[in-house]
Amino acid sequence: MAEQTDHEVCSICLNDFQEPKIIDCQHSFCYNCLEDYVHKTSTNGQFPCPLCRQNIIVPLGGVNQFSSKQQMENDSTLQIHQCDVCFNIQATCRCRDCQQHLCESCKSTHDTLVGCKGHIVVKIDGISEQGLKEITFEQPACDVKEDISENSRGAPVHPADFCPNHPKKKTKTYCKDCLVAVCFKCFLKDHNGHTYLDLQEDDVREQIRDELNKLKVEIEEHINKLQNHSTSLQSKLSEVEKAAKSACENVDTHVRNICDKVHEMGENVKEEIQKTYSDENEKFTKLMTDIKGLTDDLQSGVKLSTSILEDTSIVQVLERLPNVRQEADQCRSRKFNIPDVMYPLFTETEINETVLREQLGKVDVDTSIHHETRFINTFNINQFKSAKNVYGSVTTFHGLPWCVLAQNYPPGDPGFFLCLNKTGRSSDILSCQVDYFLKLINHIDEKKSMTRHGTRSFKNFQDKLGQGFNHFITWDILTNQQNQDNGFLDSNNNFNIQVILKLMDVKRD
C-alpha cells in the first residue's frame, strides 16, 4: 500500500493517477494498472480490490466501464448513502424488505437472522452519471409492507409482540444482555454484538415456553409439598393439644383427690401446662400462616404463568421467566423439617399432705412422649419414565430422616417402601421397633384409598434401607388406563403416599 503523501497516488504503481477509474468499493486506480491487475487476478468475472479485498464484478464492457474519478468529482448531484444502522459508515448494499441501507458489518448480522432469510439484498453499483444505483431494480414503494400487514395474512400478533420503539414492527430478536425484545432495526442499532435469541426460530420459541411450563409444574409440585407439610404440622399440633388436654384432666383428677387446700396449686399447674401448649400453638400457627402466605403467593404466580402460557405472547413469557426462575430456585432450596415439639407432661405422685406441693407434681415437657408422626410424599408419573427408584422428600423424626421410596421394575407393578435417606449421625437412637402404615391417597373417595401395614426392627440404620411392599397397586389402575378418574392421580399426574410412623422400644445412646 502506498505511503500517505500530500496528494493522491495510485496504490498499484505508486505514481500519480493516469486515467483514474473508481471501482465499486470506491477505491481508485490508474486505468492501465487496473486493467493489468484484473487480467491477472480475475476469476469467474470477479476480482478482489487491491486495497480492501472486496470482490468486485467486472463490467460486461471491461475495466473501461468503471466510472472515472473526474466524473464523480464533477457530479454535484451525487448522493452517497450512509448505513441506516450505524450511520457513520458508507453503505455498500440495501435490503429491499427492511428498506435499509447497510454496511458490510451490519449486512453480516442481517444475514444471520432467520427472520431476514429470503430478503432481497442488493449491492450498490459503482459511480455513474446518474449517481449511485443498485445492481438490480428496486421494488416499487407500493410493494413494501409493514410487519403488521404481513402478520394479518397469518395468525394474529399479540400486542406485546411488537417492537416498543416501532409499534408497527414485530419483534424478531430478544437481547439476552438487555432483557428486551426488539425489531431487527433496533437490534442492529442498539444491541449489535449482544447475545440474543432469534424469535423467528420455532425451536427457540418452543424452548422458551417449555422452560416456563416446566418451572410452573415444578412450583405446582412445590405447592403440593407445602400443603402436605402444613397438614403434617397440623397433625403435630393436634397431638400437642391432645397431650395438653390429657395432662389437664390428670391434674383435675389428682387435685380432687387431695383437698380444697391444694386446688389453687392445681390451677397454677394447669396454667403452666396451658402456657406450654400456647407457646407450641403460637409456634405452629406462625409456621402454618407463613406456609399459607407462601402457598398463596406461589399459586398466584402459577395462575399468572398459566395465563401467559395460554396466551400467544412470547415477550410476556420472557418477562415472566426471571421471576419464575427465582421462585423455582427458592422452592428447590426450601426445607420441610418439622420443628422440635414440646409436649406437656403431668407426673402424678402419691398424696402426702405434708408435702402437698411435691405430691401435686410438676409440669414437665418431653419431646419424645409421642413416638408417632405422619407425613406425605408426592410423586409424579413422569418421574418413572427415566428412573427405577424415586425418593420422596425427607421428614426428620427423632433425628432420623424418613421418606418413601417408590420403585418401578418392569414388568412388575409399582412398589412403595418406608426408608431412611442419608441418616448421618444426627440421632442418638441405637435401635427401635418401627410400626408403619403406607397409604395411597384417593382424593375423590377416601374409602378407596389403599393402605398397607408393616413392622420392622431397626438397628444399624443403614442409608436407604427400606421396608415395604413390592406390588402395592397395578400400573393400569394407578395411571387410569380405563379412561376413568379413579382418584389416585391429580390434574398434574401426581399421586400421594401418606406415612403413619410409630417408634416403639426405643433405645438411646
Side-chain angles (χ1 to χ4, degrees):
M1 181 179 295
E3 296 182 357
Q4 186 175 358
T5 64
D6 58 351
H7 64 282
E8 293 183 296
V9 297
C10 174
S11 298
I12 297 178
C13 67
L14 304 181
N15 294 318
D16 292 341
F17 282 113
Q18 300 294 327
E19 298 183 55
K21 292 291 184 179
I22 300 177
I23 61 177
D24 293 352
C25 60
Q26 307 305 305
H27 289 129
S28 302
F29 308 94
C30 297
Y31 170 75
N32 290 332
C33 295
L34 183 60
E35 185 175 45
D36 182 61
Y37 176 81
V38 170
H39 178 71
K40 293 178 180 179
T41 62
S42 64
T43 304
N44 297 325
Q46 295 183 359
F47 67 95
C49 171
L51 289 178
C52 66
R53 313 308 297 171
Q54 176 180 330
N55 282 332
I56 307 298
I57 299 175
V58 180
L60 294 178
V63 173
N64 190 49
Q65 294 300 313
F66 285 118
S67 300
S68 67
K69 189 173 183 180
Q70 189 64 32
Q71 285 178 311
M72 184 189 74
E73 292 174 349
N74 295 335
D75 189 356
S76 60
T77 61
L78 178 62
Q79 179 185 6
I80 299 178
H81 289 281
Q82 300 297 315
C83 177
D84 289 334
V85 178
C86 51
F87 298 114
N88 58 351
I89 299 178
Q90 182 176 321
T92 61
C93 59
R94 184 174 186 273
C95 177
R96 290 180 173 178
D97 297 270
C98 297
Q99 292 293 295
Q100 287 181 313
H101 289 85
L102 304 172
C103 64
E104 285 299 319
S105 176
C106 293
K107 177 182 179 297
S108 298
T109 304
H110 172 279
D111 294 344
T112 61
L113 298 176
V114 172
C116 296
K117 289 181 178 178
H119 284 198
I120 300 176
V121 179
V122 294
K123 283 184 174 292
I124 298 177
D125 199 0
I127 306 299
S128 69
E129 294 181 356
Q130 297 176 344
L132 288 174
K133 298 191 300 182
E134 293 178 354
I135 292 175
T136 57
F137 290 103
E138 185 178 355
Q139 289 179 328
C142 59
D143 292 337
V144 180
K145 298 184 178 180
E146 297 284 0
D147 288 341
I148 190 170
S149 300
E150 295 174 2
N151 296 326
S152 64
R153 297 194 295 268
V157 181
H158 193 280
D161 285 354
F162 286 100
C163 177
N165 300 322
H166 302 91
K168 293 185 178 181
K169 291 287 186 179
K170 183 181 177 182
T171 55
K172 294 186 178 181
T173 58
Y174 176 77
C175 179
K176 298 172 70 175
D177 297 338
C178 303
L179 303 179
V180 63
V182 294
C183 66
F184 171 69
K185 182 174 182 179
C186 289
F187 175 74
L188 289 179
K189 178 182 177 182
D190 301 323
H191 308 277
N192 200 355
H194 294 188
T195 56
Y196 67 94
L197 295 175
D198 190 343
L199 302 184
Q200 304 303 300
E201 286 276 13
D202 291 339
D203 57 344
V204 171
R205 299 168 67 91
E206 187 65 25
Q207 182 181 359
I208 295 170
R209 288 185 172 274
D210 285 346
E211 181 181 359
L212 179 59
N213 186 60
K214 289 178 182 178
L215 292 173
K216 179 182 75 76
V217 172
E218 181 179 346
I219 292 177
E220 288 174 339
E221 293 174 355
H222 188 73
I223 291 173
N224 195 25
K225 291 179 181 179
L226 287 172
Q227 293 171 336
N228 293 337
H229 190 56
S230 179
T231 300
S232 298
L233 293 175
Q234 181 62 54
S235 176
K236 299 302 296 184
L237 180 58
S238 298
E239 293 174 3
V240 176
E241 183 180 13
K242 181 179 179 181
K245 181 179 179 181
S246 177
C248 289
E249 291 174 351
N250 291 338
V251 170
D252 287 338
T253 300
H254 203 46
V255 168
R256 285 193 298 267
N257 293 334
I258 297 176
C259 63
D260 293 339
K261 290 188 295 183
V262 297
H263 181 73
E264 182 177 356
M265 296 181 183
E267 294 298 324
N268 293 334
V269 172
K270 288 196 295 181
E271 288 180 2
E272 293 181 35
I273 294 174
Q274 289 294 349
K275 183 180 185 305
T276 301
Y277 165 66
S278 297
D279 293 341
E280 294 299 295
N281 180 66
E282 181 180 356
K283 178 171 64 178
F284 279 86
T285 300
K286 183 180 184 304
L287 284 173
M288 290 185 292
T289 300
D290 293 344
I291 287 177
K292 185 178 184 305
L294 177 59
T295 301
D296 292 341
D297 291 343
L298 290 174
Q299 285 177 332
S300 298
V302 168
K303 183 177 179 181
L304 176 58
S305 296
T306 300
S307 174
I308 292 174
L309 287 170
E310 291 175 351
D311 211 333
T312 60
S313 171
I314 191 63
V315 172
Q316 287 186 337
V317 172
L318 289 165
E319 292 175 345
R320 178 64 182 148
L321 269 176
N323 291 334
V324 179
R325 290 192 186 108
Q326 182 180 0
E327 292 173 351
D329 289 340
Q330 293 173 350
C331 292
R332 297 185 190 109
S333 62
R334 190 169 289 114
K335 306 298 182 182
F336 296 95
N337 293 328
I338 296 178
D340 291 336
V341 181
M342 307 298 288
Y343 297 92
L345 174 65
F346 177 75
T347 304
E348 298 178 359
T349 61
E350 184 176 344
I351 298 175
N352 186 331
E353 291 185 3
T354 60
V355 285
L356 288 179
R357 184 61 181 90
E358 293 181 1
Q359 290 185 352
L360 182 61
K362 62 178 182 178
V363 176
D364 197 0
V365 292
D366 189 350
T367 59
S368 61
I369 187 171
H370 285 278
H371 303 298
E372 176 180 327
T373 190
R374 301 185 181 200
F375 61 89
I376 296 175
N377 278 180
T378 301
F379 301 89
N380 188 279
I381 288 295
N382 295 327
Q383 293 176 285
F384 298 94
K385 293 180 179 179
S386 58
K388 293 181 179 180
N389 293 333
V390 180
Y391 291 89
S393 57
V394 171
T395 295
T396 302
F397 182 55
H398 284 283
L400 297 174
W402 303 88
C403 69
V404 175
L405 165 63
Q407 287 187 339
N408 173 32
Y409 284 97
D413 296 320
F416 304 126
F417 304 85
L418 174 68
C419 73
L420 291 168
N421 196 352
K422 299 180 180 179
T423 56
R425 297 298 299 168
S426 59
S427 175
D428 61 350
I429 297 179
L430 298 176
S431 65
C432 65
Q433 185 76 11
V434 177
D435 184 271
Y436 65 93
F437 292 85
L438 297 180
K439 180 178 180 181
L440 176 60
I441 297 176
N442 189 300
H443 63 85
I444 293 180
D445 187 351
E446 174 64 24
K447 295 180 180 179
K448 293 183 179 180
S449 297
M450 301 179 64
T451 304
R452 300 288 182 88
H453 172 252
T455 58
R456 165 125 188 206
S457 294
F458 280 82
K459 293 183 179 180
N460 297 325
F461 300 105
Q462 298 176 4
D463 188 19
K464 298 185 179 179
L465 179 64
Q467 181 72 19
F469 309 94
N470 286 318
H471 304 285
F472 200 99
I473 189 176
T474 67
W475 281 113
D476 289 346
I477 296 177
L478 181 61
T479 57
N480 300 330
Q481 293 297 320
Q482 305 301 322
N483 295 323
Q484 297 178 353
D485 189 357
N486 55 29
F488 293 115
L489 297 181
D490 62 15
S491 59
N492 293 317
N493 286 330
N494 295 325
F495 63 89
N496 297 320
I497 301 294
Q498 183 186 50
V499 177
I500 302 176
L501 176 63
K502 298 180 181 179
L503 302 185
M504 302 173 294
D505 299 330
V506 177
K507 293 182 180 180
R508 300 181 181 273
D509 188 358

